[in-house]
Each structure stands twice: as C-alpha cells, then as structure tokens.
C-alpha cells in the first residue's frame, strides 16, 4: 500500500515537472485535448423505496446541464419514475433535501431510457455503440476520439457487481471489457467514472484501458449510506456521497478552475461514514491538472475566424421582354413555302372524263344505271 | 458417452461463421506506399541547348518512414522532366501569374493526384521580387529558377538546385509527412507534435461518409428586425459548388432554420470609445452552450453536424463587435469552435436610421455572410493547409471555394485516414472475437468483414499506383463495411460467465448422476480384480 503510494508520488512529481513548462502556454486549447463532452447517467433501481437513487441521478443531471452540457449530449437512464409515482405526496417533484429547497426534477428533464428500458444490455449497447439502426439520435452515445465522457452509476451493488432492475446484474469484468471496446474504437478521450453504491470500489478494480479515472462512494466491504429520510415523503431522499457531491458542484460555475483533487476530497469519512475511493493510475494526465469542468461542464474551445473568402454578389439577370422573343425576326419573316397541290376541281373533272370515255366505249345503256 | 458428449457439445456451442483471420493479421502490419507524379517543364531560357538534348528523362525517388513497429510509410515521387511546347510558352507570356495559370489550364488538365511545375527563367516578371513559387488554382505551380543558375552548369547541377524547391512544392500541394502521420492518429498514438498540427487535428472533423450542415439565423429581437435572408439561393450559388467538388469525399445534406428570441449567453460590454458593444474572446466560449440546446438536428442520421449560426444583435445591443485577445476588432466578426461549427455576428443597425418605424425589414447581404461561412467550412473540413513556406505565393481559391490541389491534399489524407481507421477496426474486431468465445458471429458479419478486407487491400494497391480517386473510393467502402461489422447489434456477447459460475450450474445436475456411475465403476473394477485374484488362486 505504501509502496504504491510512493510510486504514485514520484510519478506525480515527474508528471508535474513535465507539465510545468507546458503551463506557460497561453492557449487553453491544448491542455485537455477534448472538444466535446458527453454524460451517461444511470439509475438502476426501481420501486418507491429507492427514491434516493433517482434523486442521485437527477442531481448529477441537473449539475451537468447547468454547467453547459446540452441534452443532446446526455444519455439519462432512469429505471423508475419517482416524480409521477402514485406514492409521491408532492407530485412532479424530486427533492434532494428534506427542507425541499431544491427540486432536482425541474422543468426540462429529458429521460432517454426509462423504466424497463434500463437493462444491462441497453447500457452496454449505449457504451459500445452497438445499437440497432432504428435507434434515434437522442438514445445514442455519439462520442468521438476527442470526447470527454462522464459516467455515473447508482443503485444497489455488491462486491464486483451492480444490480439492474432487481433481476439482473452487471459485473466489473463486463464493464471493464466495455470500456476496452470503447477505447479500441477511440470513442473517448478521457473518461470519468463515478459510482455510488455499496462496495462501489470493486467496480473499478478491473479497469485496464488508458485514460480512465474512477471514483466510488465506498470501499469493498463497506456500505454506502443514505443521507436522511423525509417524514413527509416517507423515504430517504438521497445518498450521502451524492448529497455532498451535489453541494460541491453547486459551487462550481462554468469558468471555475477547481480540479479533480478537490473532487477527491468530497465527503470524507466523517460525513460519509464510508470511505470514498478513487483510482487514477490509468489516467495519463495529472489529476490536479484536470478541471472539474473538463467532465462536468462543456467549455467550448473557440478560435477567431481570421480569414474570409471574397465572394461577389452575382449580377442579377433581368430579362426584358424584347430579348426573350425574337420580335424583329417574326415581323420580317418571309412567308413559308407551301407544297404545290393541283387546283381543286381538277381531279373531279378528270374522273368524269374517265367515266365518260368508259361508257362511250362500252355503250350508253350502262350510263343509265349510274344516273 | 459416444452419443451424448458430441450432442452436448454441439448444442452448447455458439455459431461462429468463418472469418479471414490470416488476412486480417496481415493487415495489422500496414505498409503504405503513396505515389505522386510530378511533371517538371522547363520554359525557354531556363536550360541551355546542350542540356535540352538530355532533358526528357524520368526519375523515381523513394522516401521511407517508419512510424511505429506496425506501420511504415513510403513516399514515391515520380518526376518527369521535359521542355515546354510552343503553346505553353505562349501561355507563360501572359502579364500576370494568375492569367498564365488560367491559360495553362486551358491547354491540358492534369489527372487527380499529379502536379505540373513550370520552371521559368529568373528574368521573368510573372512573380514578384521576393517570391520564388506561385501555386495556382488548379494543379500547376510556377517555379522561378535561382540566380546561381545564370552561368551554364550541367544538367545534374540544375536538377540538384531545383530539387529542394520541388520537394517543398510537393509538400504544400500533395502530401507532407506531418499531414499523413496526423491522418494515422487513429492507428498510432503519436506524441504531440507542434502546436499547429495539434490544433489542426483537433479542429477538423474526422473522416465520415456523410456530414450534415445546418444554417441557423438567430433573431433575438423580432419586434425590431424583420430579417430576410435568401438562404436557398445563397447555398445554391456559394456553398453547393464546393460541396459538389467534394462529392467524392463525402455526402453532404444541408438544412436551414430561423430561431426567434435566441439570446447569447453572455452580456456584451459597452465600449464608449467605439460607441459599440463588444464581446471579448474569453467570453466566446460560453456563447455556444445556451444556444446549442435549441438547435435541432436530424434524428434519422448519426452523421456529424456542422452548425453555422448567423446572429443579428437586438436593437438595444447594436452594433456588436468581437474583439480578440489584443482588444483588436476582428474583421470577419466571426468565430468558430473545433468540430462544431461557426458563429458570425451581423450588425444591421447601419440599415436604418433612428427615426425608423419598427419592425424594420432588413435584407441580409448573403455574399458577405457566405464568405465567412465558406472560410469556416474549409477550416472545419480540413481543407485549409498550414502556412506555406517562405517565398511561396499561393493563389486564392477559385469561385467554388476549393483549389484542385487542395482537393488532392484532402483526398490523400482522407484515404490514409480511412485505411488506418478501417485496419484498426478490423484487427480489433478480430481480436475481440477471438478473446470472447461467447459471441455469436453471424454470416452477415463475416460477409462484411470479408468485403472490408478486400476493399482495404484494393485501396492500398490503388494508393501504390497513384490512382487517388479509386483509392479514396475503396477506402470509403472499407470503412463503411468495417464499421457496419464492428457495430452490428448482434455482437453483444452473452453475459459473462465466470468459471466458478459454470461449475455451480453443472455440479447440481451431474453430481447426483455421477455418484451411482462412479460407484458402479468402482464395483466393476473391484469385481474384476477379485476375479483375477480368484483365477490366480485357482492356477496356483
């Protein structure tokens, strides 16, 4: 344990010394290497008494939206509907604290996977991108190699697994394999994985792909506890770790410079009762140089457009009527040459002559029959 | 056992169609050869008559680079030297370089991927004093011979003098090692090079078979401004020619929309010295997010979207100017975000006086707007090349926004990028399928993989021979097939079964069965042994 700590310390010193010269760069452009942000927020448990898991996920959703990530870049998976649940004494609201000052449900929640659609299979399909072609854009994770992704999971878990919907579970090996497939296809630049379940640290033990940072609310063998119940609503409203995480995030604004080291200090044992853990050995940058807004917010890099192309307006072609029809030609046209036909009565006279000659030679009596 | 065991094996195995694994392993080791053809034409006055007799000759040069242990690049330059024909001499006699370029183009058209360099004498007036090279709009360049070649030298010395310049021309107009190695970034994780190359690779969209372009007009103040923009006509006149030229690279679909009451997320500051509102470059980063939530996108396709926004400030915040870091006004009044799109601020307060009756009808000058959007589009698609070396004069791109050699550059880097991405996809898919034994491989996936492998081999072959257009086409087919195979929905592996769980399934079934079998086997063995003992006892 100490040896690992010593190695990490020397590594951190080396990395910071390398990055010291880079800090002189004026442009913020290159420090993180990402151009867009995505978030995959999953609540895996259903039933009214798991109200706190939905509240957890919605509070992270709220922070992430407030700090700038648009709905088109958030995949929100909620296994059950608490705001409109029959048992909710305050419908259309999900509160995070019993003094009810913060309604994390809000006005514009966009849930992408709801109810029974939240399954292990769908979750893995979203991560790896293996969705059927008919899936709409809002249900896909369309990240590229310059995306920073935040993945937040909450629910009931155990040593090495996380329970989905009371009937199936996802193991830490499957999760690690899914991340490796994402890395192979370069679907992320950096990934922050946060999990708030019992024995959450076991879920990130098996990760082996680069550029992953993981946080968990409790170590193996410990349970994550919930914060406090509300007697009016009748259930526990939020889990301790996410409650203090939400408190921390409420102080962050889009141009904040708080870094990951501050995030690791959220919810110490005195407040959380369990010991939160984190894992940064797979992360290539120093966690102190990674800003909170690198994952939770969406600060865009911008460049001033220095060049323009000179385009001229096309000359408007106005046609005058004179030009459209060749009037002068029409007026001065020569009459057309008709074909020559013989005069009209000519053919009639010809046939009469032939008949007369005929009847003359063969006798006049035939002529009587005709006339 | 004879019947049962094979039956059990067949019913529990997963269907895996055959994959060309050996060919895929061959592909993982990528040896790319890029060939470019250059024709160097000597105009009158650059070669002496004795040199002229020896001039029709061809040289082939190879340059090898090893990128990492799996990837090697070889650049082959085939240079043909000849003297100019009478018609070309006439064309070169034009007063300016641009006109010479135009008349040279009417004589002959170089095929895709090749270049023609005309060497003109030092005394020629086509180029300004300090410039040596003029890069035209098509695939020609004019190179002025240096002063030291004034006195007669041998042909070899002349060629040696010209070679570094010709190499620079090739790097600007065809491909350079930095561009190609940047295109390989999917395959090779390179340590960051210089600032410019990182910025370029972060800014340009990755190669994709199609893109969607959306033009949006943001009108935060419809009560004051009634905006009219002829977007259809403007797209047809200015943007469509560029997209038609790029048709071999990707498909583009364009749509447009108007958004009302869309505000900027930041408050501009009033600058009394300019009596205008200003937006500082630091606050530009926060402009995009609030707007992006309201921009729609085509739900049916998963193609990357390029957004171009035209923002007309409301009457109370007009005019609005963008200032860069040095507090200087930006002439284009526009900014862009890498891999997203661009925003331009268009001030309309100049169109009406203070006594105007609101709402005012405003016709937007689409030529000015499209000039900015076209420049941003070029940057985002990766057409814009890095700054040219010293002594180079680059002609402005033509009316369709793209010079032929810029298209060639784009085609080179896209082909290499597609080949690199397709090879990594196929090799990682093969690796994945080998590792996880539980995945079912259907016939259609095997078909896609085979067709991807064939297309890749063809693409690499075409790149070797220098047929750029075919190489790009095959590389696009390869990418489509490999992506379809990798992202096929049926490839989700069956849920993970650790070994101890497998035992847990089989033991309750087989243990009760095995117990009597084992016991009876033991009984048979002990009976046989007893019989043998009895036989022996009898014998004795």
């Amino acid at each position: 344990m100490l040896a690992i700590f010593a190695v990490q310390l020397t590594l951190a010193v080396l990395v910071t010394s390398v990055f010291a010269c880079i800090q002189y760069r004026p442009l913020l452009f290159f420090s993180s290497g990402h151009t867009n942000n995505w978030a995959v927020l999953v609540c895996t448990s259903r039933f009214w008494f798991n109200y706190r898991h939905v509240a957890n996920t919605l509070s992270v959703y709220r922070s992430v939206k407030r700090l700038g990530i648009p709905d088109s870049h958030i995949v929100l998976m909620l296994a059950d509907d608490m705001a409109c649940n029959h048992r909710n004494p305050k419908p259309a609201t999900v509160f995070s604290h019993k003094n009810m000052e913060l309604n994390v449900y809000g006005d514009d929640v966009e849930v992408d996977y709801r109810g029974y659609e939240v399954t292990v299979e769908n979750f893995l399909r979203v991560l790896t991108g293996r969705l059927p072609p008919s899936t709409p854009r809002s249900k896909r994770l369309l990240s590229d190699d310059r995306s920073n992704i935040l993945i937040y999971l909450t629910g009931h878990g155990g040593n090495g697994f996380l329970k989905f919907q009371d009937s199936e579970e996802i193991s830490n090996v499957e999760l690690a394999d899914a991340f490796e497939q994402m890395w192979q296809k370069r679907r992320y630049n950096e990934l922050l994985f946060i999990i708030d379940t019992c024995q959450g640290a076991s879920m990130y033990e098996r990760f082996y792909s680069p550029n992953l940072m993981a946080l968990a609310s409790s170590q193996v063998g410990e349970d994550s506890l919930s914060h406090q119940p509300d007697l009016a609503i009748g259930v526990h409203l939020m889990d301790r770790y996410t409650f203090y995480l939400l408190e921390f995030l409420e102080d962050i604004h889009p141009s904040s410079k708080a870094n990951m080291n501050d995030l690791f200090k959220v919810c110490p044992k005195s407040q959380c009762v369990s010991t939160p853990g984190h894992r940064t050995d797979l992360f290539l940058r120093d966690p102190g140089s990674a800003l909170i807004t690198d994952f939770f917010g969406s600060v865009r890099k911008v460049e001033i457009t220095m060049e323009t192309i000179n385009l001229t307006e096309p000359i408007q072609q106005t046609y005058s009527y004179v030009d459209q029809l060749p009037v002068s030609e029409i007026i001065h046209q020569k009459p057309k040459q008709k074909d020559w036909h013989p005069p009209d009565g000519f053919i009639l006279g010809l046939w009469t002559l032939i008949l007369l000659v005929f009847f003359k030679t063969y006798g006049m009596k035939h002529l009587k029959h005709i006339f | 056992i004879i019947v049962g065991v094979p039956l059990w094996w067949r019913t529990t195995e997963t269907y895996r169609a055959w994959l060309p694994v050996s060919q895929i392993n061959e592909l993982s080791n990528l040896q790319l050869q890029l060939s470019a053809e250059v024709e160097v034409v000597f105009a009158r006055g650059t070669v002496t008559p004795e040199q002229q007799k020896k001039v029709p000759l061809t040289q082939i040069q190879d340059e090898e680079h090893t990128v990492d242990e799996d990837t090697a690049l070889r650049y082959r330059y085939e240079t043909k030297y000849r003297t100019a024909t009478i018609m070309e001499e006439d064309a070169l006699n034009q007063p300016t370089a641009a006109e010479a370029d135009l008349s040279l183009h009417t004589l002959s058209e170089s095929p895709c991927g090749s270049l023609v360099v005309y060497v003109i004498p030092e005394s020629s007036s086509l180029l300004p004093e300090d410039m040596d090279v003029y890069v035209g709009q098509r695939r020609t360049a004019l190179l002025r011979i240096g002063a030291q070649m004034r006195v007669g030298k041998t042909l070899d010395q002349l060629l040696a003098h010209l070679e570094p310049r010709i190499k620079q021309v090739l790097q600007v107009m065809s491909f350079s090692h930095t561009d190609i190695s940047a295109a390989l970034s999917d395959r090779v994780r390179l340590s960051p090079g210089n600032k410019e190359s990182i910025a370029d690779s972060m800014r340009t969209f990755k190669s994709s078979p199609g893109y969607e372009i959306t033009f949006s007009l943001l009108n935060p103040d419809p009560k004051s401004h009634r905006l009219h923009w002829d977007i259809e006509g403007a797209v047809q006149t200015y943007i469509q020619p560029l997209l038609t030229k790029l048709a071999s690279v990707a498909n583009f679909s364009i749509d447009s929309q108007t958004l009302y009451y869309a505000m900027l997320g930041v408050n501009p500051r009033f600058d009394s010295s300019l009596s205008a509102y200003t937006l500082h470059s630091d606050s530009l980063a926060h402009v995009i997010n609030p707007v992006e939530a309201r921009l729609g996108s085509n739900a049916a396709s998963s193609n990357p979207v390029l957004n171009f926004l035209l923002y007309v400030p409301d009457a109370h915040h007009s005019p609005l100017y963008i200032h860069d870091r040095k507090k200087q006004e930006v002439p284009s009044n526009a900014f862009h975000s890498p891999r997203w799109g661009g925003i331009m601020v268009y001030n309309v307060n100049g169109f009406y006086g203070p006594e105007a009756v609101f709402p005012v009808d405003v016709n937007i000058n689409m030529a000015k707007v499209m000039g900015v959007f076209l420049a941003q589009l070029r940057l985002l698609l990766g057409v814009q090349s890095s700054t040219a070396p010293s002594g180079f004069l680059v002609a402005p791109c033509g009316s369709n926004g793209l010079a032929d050699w810029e298209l060639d550059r784009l085609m080179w880097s896209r082909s290499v990028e597609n080949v690199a991405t397709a090879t990594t996809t196929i090799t990682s898919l093969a690796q994945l399928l080998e590792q996880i034994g539980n995945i079912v491989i259907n016939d259609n996936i095997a078909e896609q993989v085979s067709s991807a492998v064939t297309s890749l081999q063809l693409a690499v072959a075409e790149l070797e021979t220098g047929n750029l257009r075919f190489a790009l086409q095959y590389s696009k087919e390869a990418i489509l097939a490999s992506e379809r195979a990798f992202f096929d929905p049926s490839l989700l592996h069956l849920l993970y079964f650790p070994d101890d769980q497998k035992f847990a399934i089989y033991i309750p079934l087989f243990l009760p069965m095995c117990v009597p079998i084992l016991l009876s086997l033991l009984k048979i063995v002990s009976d046989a042994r007893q019989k043998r003992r009895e036989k022996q006892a009898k014998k004795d």
Side-chain angles (χ1 to χ4, degrees):
Chain A
M1 191 61 211
L2 255 161
I4 299 169
F5 181 71
V7 166
Q8 274 185 348
L9 193 63
T10 45
L11 201 65
V13 165
L14 268 169
V15 165
T16 41
S17 61
V18 165
F19 275 99
C21 50
I22 299 175
Q23 273 161 14
Y24 286 117
R25 283 197 197 143
L27 274 106
L28 204 61
F29 209 103
F30 313 110
S31 60
S32 60
H34 75 280
T35 59
N36 52 45
N37 286 79
W38 287 80
V40 179
L41 311 172
V42 185
C43 161
T44 60
S45 41
R46 54 176 30 243
F47 306 129
W48 173 245
F49 54 82
N50 289 321
Y51 181 103
R52 59 189 188 279
H53 296 141
V54 172
N56 289 349
T57 320
L58 282 174
S59 56
V60 176
Y61 172 75
R62 183 206 135 74
S63 312
V64 147
K65 260 181 86 160
R66 191 176 56 81
L67 291 172
I69 305 186
D71 271 314
S72 53
H73 285 227
I74 303 179
V75 179
L76 178 63
M77 305 170 85
L78 295 180
D80 203 355
D81 182 11
M82 298 306 167
C84 300
N85 197 307
H86 306 300
R87 288 173 169 175
N88 192 350
K90 303 198 167 30
T93 58
V94 173
F95 289 112
S96 63
H97 192 270
K98 68 178 180 207
N99 57 15
M100 289 189 244
E101 58 191 19
L102 192 59
N103 172 18
V104 290
Y105 198 64
D107 291 334
D108 54 350
V109 178
E110 188 184 293
V111 182
D112 299 306
Y113 288 85
R114 64 195 73 221
Y116 286 106
E117 289 173 356
V118 178
T119 58
V120 173
E121 184 188 334
N122 279 348
F123 177 58
L124 289 178
R125 282 194 191 280
V126 165
L127 285 184
T128 54
R130 296 213 171 94
L131 289 158
S134 57
T135 319
R137 219 181 160 105
S138 57
K139 282 190 167 180
R140 287 182 189 259
L141 179 64
L142 295 168
S143 56
D144 55 28
D145 64 325
R146 294 265 174 211
S147 306
N148 275 10
I149 309 183
L150 166 73
I151 298 188
Y152 177 82
L153 295 175
T154 184
H156 289 290
N159 190 355
F161 67 92
L162 171 62
K163 184 176 73 152
F164 265 71
Q165 299 267 12
D166 234 25
S167 57
E168 48 183 13
E169 52 192 43
I170 185 172
S171 63
N172 48 6
V173 177
E174 279 178 324
L175 199 57
D177 282 341
F179 287 156
E180 174 64 15
Q181 287 189 49
M182 287 174 79
W183 174 250
Q184 287 285 331
K185 207 60 193 67
R186 301 284 183 268
R187 276 165 72 79
Y188 67 89
N189 177 34
E190 287 169 351
L191 202 143
L192 176 63
F193 175 77
I194 304 183
I195 184 161
D196 187 354
T197 63
C198 307
Q199 309 193 45
S202 62
M203 288 305 282
Y204 60 66
E205 273 173 3
R206 299 289 194 114
F207 289 171
Y208 54 95
S209 318
N211 267 342
L212 294 177
M213 186 169 2
L215 278 106
S217 60
S218 54
Q219 301 291 335
V220 176
E222 287 180 351
D223 289 335
S224 279
L225 301 178
S226 55
H227 188 54
Q228 22 158 268
D230 178 342
L231 296 173
I233 297 183
V235 286
H236 288 260
L237 291 181
M238 253 178 102
D239 279 332
R240 282 176 190 251
Y241 182 72
T242 312
F243 181 80
Y244 291 108
L245 181 68
L246 178 64
E247 219 176 60
F248 172 75
L249 287 175
E250 287 288 307
D251 288 333
I252 306 282
H253 53 91
S255 38
S256 151
K257 295 277 173 252
N259 59 35
M260 284 295 155
N261 286 332
D262 303 325
L263 192 61
F264 297 152
K265 295 195 206 106
V266 162
C267 205
K269 197 170 164 111
S270 53
Q271 284 175 323
C272 255
V273 184
S274 58
T275 322
H278 57 265
R279 179 175 176 181
T280 54
D281 57 319
L282 294 167
F283 199 68
L284 294 175
R285 281 194 295 154
D286 172 37
S289 69
L291 300 176
I292 300 281
T293 49
D294 279 351
F295 292 101
F296 285 91
S298 173
V299 182
R300 299 277 186 180
K301 316 276 192 283
V302 291
E303 278 183 322
I304 308 278
T305 308
M306 281 306 175
E307 297 180 18
T308 59
I309 297 181
N310 263 328
L311 294 170
T312 48
E313 285 225 46
I315 302 164
Q316 294 287 354
Q317 297 272 9
T318 48
Y319 289 99
S320 54
Y321 188 72
V322 173
D323 296 328
Q324 282 179 335
L325 279 178
V327 176
S328 50
E329 282 176 41
I330 294 171
I331 293 173
H332 300 292
Q333 224 172 21
K334 273 204 278 246
K336 244 192 333 202
Q337 297 268 355
K338 276 212 192 109
D339 300 314
W340 182 83
H341 291 291
D344 285 320
F346 177 71
I347 296 171
L348 197 63
L350 193 63
W351 279 107
T352 324
L353 191 66
I354 291 168
L355 274 172
L356 276 172
V357 167
F358 168 72
F359 283 111
K360 198 71 189 274
T361 37
Y362 292 105
M364 287 302 282
K365 45 183 195 290
H366 297 284
L367 203 63
K368 267 192 260 172
H369 292 287
I370 296 172
F371 290 108
Chain B
I1 288 182
I2 300 170
V3 172
V5 166
L7 197 65
W8 166 70
W9 189 255
R10 274 212 65 87
T11 47
T12 53
E13 78 176 355
T14 48
Y15 177 71
R16 296 172 79 99
W18 176 81
L19 288 178
V21 182
S22 55
Q23 286 178 332
I24 296 174
N25 288 335
E26 263 175 40
L27 279 174
S28 68
N29 196 341
L30 189 63
Q31 309 269 357
L32 268 184
Q33 181 181 311
L34 302 177
S35 309
E37 271 180 32
V38 186
E39 221 178 309
V40 179
V41 182
F42 289 103
R44 194 174 346 125
T46 47
V47 280
T48 61
E50 314 90 58
Q51 286 171 339
Q52 227 170 0
K53 272 182 244 157
K54 289 188 261 171
V55 150
L57 66 95
T58 313
Q59 273 182 352
I60 297 183
Q61 272 171 328
D62 278 338
E63 216 180 276
E64 304 246 359
H65 292 271
T66 317
V67 182
D68 69 355
E69 66 263 5
D70 295 318
T71 324
L73 291 169
R74 192 197 305 174
Y75 304 135
R76 168 164 290 198
Y77 303 111
E78 197 179 311
T79 325
K80 290 196 191 102
Y81 298 95
R82 67 174 174 85
T83 47
T85 62
I86 308 281
M87 292 186 289
E88 284 170 344
E89 293 284 350
D90 279 339
L92 285 168
N93 269 335
Q94 305 281 336
T96 63
E99 287 173 31
D101 188 39
L102 196 61
S103 35
L104 281 170
H105 173 69
T106 53
L107 288 175
S108 67
E109 185 152 344
S110 346
C112 196
S114 67
L115 286 180
V116 187
V117 180
Y118 289 94
V119 181
I120 51 180
E122 195 213 336
S123 51
S124 161
S125 57
L126 284 176
L127 295 171
E129 280 297 313
D130 47 346
M131 299 288 173
D132 290 333
V133 183
Y134 174 80
V135 174
Q137 284 180 358
R138 306 303 196 305
R139 296 185 174 103
T140 52
L142 302 175
L143 173 62
R144 181 164 41 200
I145 212 168
Q148 40 294 44
M149 287 293 126
R150 219 178 286 172
V151 185
K153 301 257 174 100
T154 66
L155 185 65
D156 291 328
Q157 284 175 329
L158 178 65
L159 295 181
H161 162 76
L162 286 175
E163 196 188 303
R165 272 301 185 191
I166 293 181
K167 202 164 225 127
Q168 273 184 328
V169 170
L170 273 167
Q171 290 202 335
V172 168
M173 290 177 77
S174 279
F175 49 81
S176 66
H177 185 59
T178 34
D179 288 340
I180 301 294
S181 36
L184 286 173
S185 67
D186 205 62
R187 211 187 140 80
V188 176
R189 270 284 155 173
L190 293 169
S191 53
N194 59 338
K195 262 198 227 175
E196 270 192 39
S197 63
I198 303 177
D200 278 344
S201 72
M202 274 176 75
R203 187 193 306 125
T204 54
F205 276 85
K206 288 213 77 86
S207 165
S208 159
Y211 295 97
E212 275 180 47
I213 304 182
T214 308
F215 291 100
S216 311
L217 174 64
L218 303 178
N219 187 358
D221 198 7
K223 288 201 283 276
S224 314
H225 303 134
R226 231 201 317 249
L227 300 172
H228 302 278
W229 69 335
D230 178 24
I231 184 67
E232 263 190 69
V235 162
Q236 202 60 33
T237 324
Y238 302 118
I239 306 283
Q240 196 56 42
L242 171 66
L243 300 181
T244 321
K245 211 161 173 185
L246 285 173
S248 53
V249 175
N251 294 328
F252 291 91
S253 81
I254 309 182
D255 37 39
S256 66
Q257 61 180 343
T258 311
L259 285 175
Y260 294 105
Y261 294 107
M263 306 289 180
L264 288 182
V266 282
N267 285 324
R269 236 174 293 146
F270 184 72
D271 191 344
S272 44
S273 59
L274 298 167
S275 67
Y277 288 87
T278 60
L279 267 181
H280 192 63
S281 61
D282 284 337
S283 53
L284 291 175
H286 307 291
V287 166
I288 297 179
N289 284 326
V291 180
E292 186 171 7
R294 300 191 53 191
L295 297 171
S297 62
N298 191 351
S301 82
S302 331
N303 285 332
V305 181
L306 286 89
N307 291 301
F308 292 103
L309 274 58
L310 183 62
Y311 181 74
V312 175
D314 48 321
H316 298 292
H317 288 108
S318 282
L320 181 63
Y321 295 114
I322 297 179
H323 281 193
D324 61 9
R325 281 174 202 282
K326 302 189 200 102
K327 304 281 193 347
Q328 300 281 332
E329 202 178 295
V330 173
S332 62
N333 221 19
F335 61 98
H336 57 271
S337 180
R339 295 206 186 174
W340 184 80
I343 301 186
M344 177 180 177
V345 178
Y346 189 82
N347 293 310
V348 296
N349 60 314
F351 285 98
Y352 53 88
E355 73 289 338
V357 171
F358 290 123
V360 182
D361 280 299
V362 177
N363 272 324
I364 296 183
N365 178 5
M366 293 310 288
K368 182 168 158 226
V369 167
M370 282 301 165
V372 172
F373 282 159
L374 205 58
Q376 288 177 338
L377 182 63
R378 277 165 55 95
L379 275 171
L380 289 169
L381 287 176
V383 167
Q384 196 88 352
S385 50
S386 39
T387 51
S390 65
F392 273 64
L393 180 64
V394 180
C397 55
S399 58
N400 45 12
L402 191 68
D404 284 359
W405 55 271
E406 283 177 331
L407 178 63
D408 284 353
R409 262 181 91 91
L410 193 63
M411 285 169 81
W412 285 117
S413 58
R414 283 291 162 105
S415 313
V416 172
E417 193 182 333
N418 287 348
V419 167
T421 317
T423 46
T424 34
T425 310
I426 290 286
T427 41
S428 62
L429 178 64
Q431 219 176 9
L432 179 77
L433 293 175
E434 251 180 70
Q435 251 180 343
I436 304 182
N438 282 336
I439 293 186
V440 177
I441 305 177
N442 287 327
D443 283 329
N444 65 331
I445 297 175
E447 219 179 278
Q448 295 285 344
V449 170
S450 308
S451 89
V453 167
T454 332
S455 303
L456 270 173
Q457 288 169 337
L458 281 168
V460 171
E462 296 286 355
L463 271 178
E464 263 185 47
T465 51
N467 292 333
L468 194 51
R469 219 175 271 281
F470 285 118
L472 184 66
Q473 198 187 323
Y474 284 128
S475 68
K476 269 178 23 175
E477 281 172 22
I479 269 231
L480 275 172
S482 62
E483 299 267 315
R484 221 174 283 152
F486 193 92
F487 287 120
D488 191 273
S490 70
L491 276 184
L492 199 65
H493 59 279
L494 307 173
L495 290 179
Y496 170 70
F497 287 131
D499 288 327
D500 48 350
Q501 285 187 12
K502 274 198 192 124
F503 277 128
I505 294 173
Y506 283 127
I507 284 178
L509 289 174
F510 285 118
L511 199 61
M513 271 198 310
C514 281
V515 168
I517 293 175
L518 270 172
L519 282 177
S520 52
L521 270 174
L522 278 172
K523 201 158 163 96
I524 292 171
V525 165
S526 64
D527 274 346
R529 218 178 281 157
Q530 214 175 358
K531 247 190 227 146
R532 213 184 300 138
R533 236 178 279 136
E534 277 171 11
K535 234 192 235 168
Q536 285 229 312
K538 251 200 220 156
K539 266 199 197 145
D540 302 335

